[in-house]
Amino acid sequence: MIEVENLTKVFNGRKAIDEVTFKVEKGEILGFLGPNGAGKTTTMRILTCYMPSTSGTARVAGFDVFEESVEVRKRIGYLPESPPVYPEMTVESYLNFVAKIKGTLPNRRRAQVDDVMGKCSIGDVRNRVIGKLSKGYKQRVGLAQSLLNNPEVLILDEPTIGLDPKQIFEVRTLIKSLAGDHTVILSTHILPEVSMTCDRVVIINNGKVVAMDTPEGLTNQAKGAERVALLVDGPKESVCEKLQAIDGVVSVQVSGGDNGKPASFQVECKLNTDLRRTLAATVVSQGWGLLELRGVSLSLEDVFINLVTKE
C-alpha cells in the first residue's frame, strides 16, 4: 500500500532524510519512531505530497507521490503535528468544509461528519468555535478531519499529543479499530502506545532507518544485553564485585542494601547469554542469601534508547 525506496531530502546541503526505505502493507499499522529532528515529519510531508523529495521514490496506494499527487491526496487522511483547523469556525462547519473539499457527496456529507465526530468524541462541542477549545479537543477535531471520506491511508503525526489518559485510550482504541480497512502510519513519542497499537515499527535516527521489525521482534533482537534482577542478602560491595567478575556480565547496578537490608542488583549480560544459573551459583557459593532472581525483559523504550544514542 505504501512503498518508500531510497527517499532523500536535502535542506541547505544537509540531509534531513538519507535513503529511507520501508514498506507498509495494506491494513497494517506502522509505528514511525525517532527522536526530534530524526526526519519523521519530513518523510510524512513527502508521503502526503506536502513537499517533494530530492531523490528516491514513494508510492501510496499504487500512485507515485510526485507524478500522481492528486490521486495520492484523494486516498490519504493526514493529521500533521499542529492540527490544520480554522480557529474562527465551529467544529461542525469546519468538518463540513473539509468534507466538501474532499469531494464527499452532498447527500452523504452530514452522515460522514456525524460519524467522525462520534468516533473522535467531539459531538458535545459541535457548535463551539474551534479557537475556544482546549488543546485536546483541537487535536481530536484534527483527527476527525483526517478520517473524513474514509481514506485508504491515514498518516498521523503525534495524534495523541495534548490528550488526557482517557482520551489517549479512546484514540488508541480508534486507531486499532481502523486496522484492516485502513493502512496507518503512526508517529508518536509514547512508546507503550506503539507496543499496544502497531503491527510493525520503523525507527529512524539522523535521517536513516536504524531498525524495522515488529515490537516483539525489536525487543528480542535489540542491540544491548539480557538483564537479570537479583535480591541478595549479603555485603553489597562484595556481591557486586563477584557478579561483575563473571564472564559475560557487561555491568552491574546496585540499589538499596543499607542498614543491613538486602540489596537489589540488576545485571546486564551479553546478548543471547543466559547467566541465571551462574549468577545463582556464585551467590549461593559465598553463603549469601539469594532471595530473588528473575529475568528482566527489554522494553521498547530500552530498544529505542539503545538505537538512537551512542552511549
Side-chain angles (χ1 to χ4, degrees):
M1 180 58 71
I2 300 175
E3 299 176 84
V4 177
E5 187 170 352
N6 298 324
L7 206 61
T8 299
K9 179 65 177 179
V10 179
F11 292 106
N12 297 322
R14 176 186 171 274
K15 289 184 178 179
I17 54 173
D18 187 4
E19 297 190 352
V20 168
T21 299
F22 63 87
K23 182 183 291 187
V24 191
E25 301 296 338
K26 184 175 182 179
E28 186 177 36
I29 300 178
L30 179 79
F32 198 43
L33 307 181
N36 291 331
K40 305 186 302 298
T41 297
T42 298
T43 303
M44 288 181 160
R45 287 176 174 175
I46 292 172
L47 290 176
T48 55
C49 310
Y50 183 83
M51 66 169 63
S53 68
T54 303
S55 62
T57 61
R59 300 181 70 83
V60 175
F63 296 96
D64 189 285
V65 298
F66 318 117
E67 303 295 334
E68 303 164 292
S69 65
V70 173
E71 294 300 323
V72 171
R73 292 172 200 228
K74 289 179 182 178
R75 290 163 174 80
I76 61 173
Y78 178 39
L79 175 62
E81 287 178 289
S82 299
V85 295
Y86 292 107
E88 70 279 4
M89 299 180 75
T90 65
V91 171
E92 186 170 16
S93 63
Y94 166 70
L95 292 176
N96 273 307
F97 170 69
V98 174
K100 186 176 181 180
I101 289 176
K102 288 190 173 187
T104 306
L105 295 175
N107 61 340
R108 298 183 58 192
R109 202 171 296 155
R110 177 64 181 268
Q112 279 211 19
V113 168
D114 287 343
D115 180 55
V116 298
M117 282 198 293
K119 286 180 177 178
C120 298
S121 302
I122 54 175
D124 56 328
V125 296
R126 66 190 308 150
N127 296 317
R128 294 270 301 275
V129 174
I130 294 174
K132 295 184 179 181
L133 296 177
S134 68
K135 184 177 180 181
Y137 267 114
K138 289 176 183 175
Q139 190 70 13
R140 285 190 278 167
V141 173
L143 180 59
Q145 65 79 28
S146 72
L147 297 173
L148 282 168
N149 220 25
N150 198 32
E152 296 177 53
V153 176
L154 282 168
I155 297 179
L156 309 175
D157 198 353
E158 300 285 347
T160 58
I161 191 169
L163 305 185
D164 63 37
K166 179 177 180 292
Q167 294 165 347
I168 289 174
F169 174 78
E170 291 171 349
V171 171
R172 181 190 301 148
T173 302
L174 170 61
I175 293 172
K176 289 185 70 173
S177 73
L178 298 172
D181 296 326
H182 303 264
T183 302
V184 182
I185 294 183
L186 168 66
S187 170
T188 180
H189 284 105
I190 306 174
L191 298 184
E193 187 172 283
V194 174
S195 299
M196 290 182 277
T197 307
C198 300
D199 302 307
R200 284 192 308 122
V201 177
V202 170
I203 298 179
I204 185 172
N205 189 38
N206 293 324
K208 290 181 174 289
V209 173
V210 295
M212 182 164 39
D213 206 336
T214 63
E216 297 80 10
L218 284 175
T219 57
N220 291 336
Q221 301 174 25
K223 297 177 181 178
E226 306 292 348
R227 294 182 181 180
V228 180
L230 300 93
L231 184 63
V232 180
D233 187 4
K236 64 179 183 181
E237 292 81 8
S238 300
V239 175
C240 185
E241 184 179 340
K242 285 290 185 181
L243 296 179
Q244 186 71 67
I246 296 173
D247 186 36
V249 169
V250 176
S251 67
V252 179
Q253 294 181 338
V254 190
S255 61
D258 300 321
N259 301 319
K261 294 181 179 180
S264 296
F265 300 85
Q266 183 156 279
V267 180
E268 293 198 0
C269 313
K270 290 181 179 178
L271 190 62
N272 298 323
T273 302
D274 188 349
L275 295 179
R276 287 175 295 178
R277 290 179 184 272
T278 305
L279 293 167
T282 299
V283 172
V284 172
S285 67
Q286 297 296 315
W288 301 321
L290 180 58
L291 307 181
E292 182 182 3
L293 186 150
R294 58 184 172 81
V296 179
S297 300
L298 283 172
S299 67
L300 187 58
E301 184 175 5
D302 295 322
V303 176
F304 181 83
I305 295 299
N306 285 339
L307 289 170
V308 304
T309 58
K310 296 180 179 180
E311 297 181 1

